[in-house]
């Protein structure tokens, strides 16, 4: 009898610990990428439809996968917003993934397009174009980092 109670408790714990990740859709569920990130939980995915998103995004330390849908890359356009287009600065690790975006028109001190500050995200299959910064126009990595940059193109950035 005791064995059955222990097995039942272990099974209940396994069910609770394996809750499925949510997929949040932009613009279907949220009008902005940052709005989806703000509501995301660790392990969630954010699927972004093609289009231009005039915003700056910050991963906020979350282990989430933010990816573009379809053959046309969604564009993160920080023009006129006065800052870095994509920020990883809150302890993000290799489970924090940006994939399949064009990142443009960011402006910053360290990294205009993408700023990686003491974190280790993955950036996969992105295009980082026409960003400006004092250090690292397209991207700047500061502090300890094992960031992975995979199949990503940098062009027309100025530092």
């Amino acid at each position: 009898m005791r064995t059955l109670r222990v097995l039942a408790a272990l099974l209940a714990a396994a069910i609770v610990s394996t809750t499925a990740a949510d997929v949040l859709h932009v613009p279907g569920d949220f009008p902005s990428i940052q709005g989806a990130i703000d509501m995301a939980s660790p392990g969630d995915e954010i699927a972004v439809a093609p289009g231009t998103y005039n915003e700056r995004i910050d991963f906020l330390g979350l282990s989430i996968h933010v990816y573009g849908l379809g053959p046309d890359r969604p564009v993160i356009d920080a023009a006129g917003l006065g800052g870095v287009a994509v920020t990883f600065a809150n302890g993000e690790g290799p489970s924090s993934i940006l994939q399949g975006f064009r990142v443009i028109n960011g402006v910053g001190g360290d990294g205009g397009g993408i700023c990686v500050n003491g974190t280790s995200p993955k950036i996969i299959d992105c295009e980082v174009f026409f960003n400006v910064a004092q250090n690292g126009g397209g991207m700047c990595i500061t502090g300890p980092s094992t960031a992975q940059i995979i199949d990503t193109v940098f062009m027309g950035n100025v530092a």
Side-chain angles (χ1 to χ4, degrees):
M1 187 62 127
R2 182 169 194 266
T3 304
L4 286 175
R5 278 187 262 157
V6 170
L7 286 174
L10 288 172
L11 180 60
I15 290 171
V16 169
S17 68
T18 59
T19 57
D22 287 331
V23 178
L24 310 175
H25 296 272
V26 176
D29 300 326
F30 298 90
S32 70
I33 301 166
Q34 189 62 53
I37 292 171
D38 291 345
M39 297 305 295
S41 298
D44 284 352
E45 297 179 3
I46 298 174
V48 181
T52 298
Y53 299 87
N54 297 307
E55 61 180 305
R56 298 168 48 214
I57 68 169
D58 186 328
F59 268 62
L60 303 174
L62 294 170
S63 296
I64 55 176
H65 185 181
V66 180
Y67 57 91
L69 296 171
D72 296 326
R73 295 175 195 280
V75 177
I76 299 170
D77 185 350
L81 300 175
V84 176
V86 179
T87 300
F88 296 96
N90 296 291
E92 293 88 358
S95 296
S96 299
I97 304 167
L98 180 72
Q99 182 174 4
F101 283 87
R102 178 171 286 168
V103 178
I104 64 172
N105 298 321
V107 177
D110 290 324
I114 301 172
C115 175
V116 175
N117 186 355
T119 63
S120 299
K122 286 183 188 171
I123 294 132
I124 304 169
D125 190 31
C126 289
E127 297 173 342
V128 184
F129 296 165
F130 314 118
N131 300 282
V132 178
Q134 186 173 8
N135 301 302
M139 178 179 203
C140 187
I141 299 175
T142 60
S145 176
T146 56
Q148 297 176 51
I149 316 305
I150 302 163
D151 295 328
T152 294
V153 176
F154 295 85
M155 186 172 71
N157 300 290
V158 178

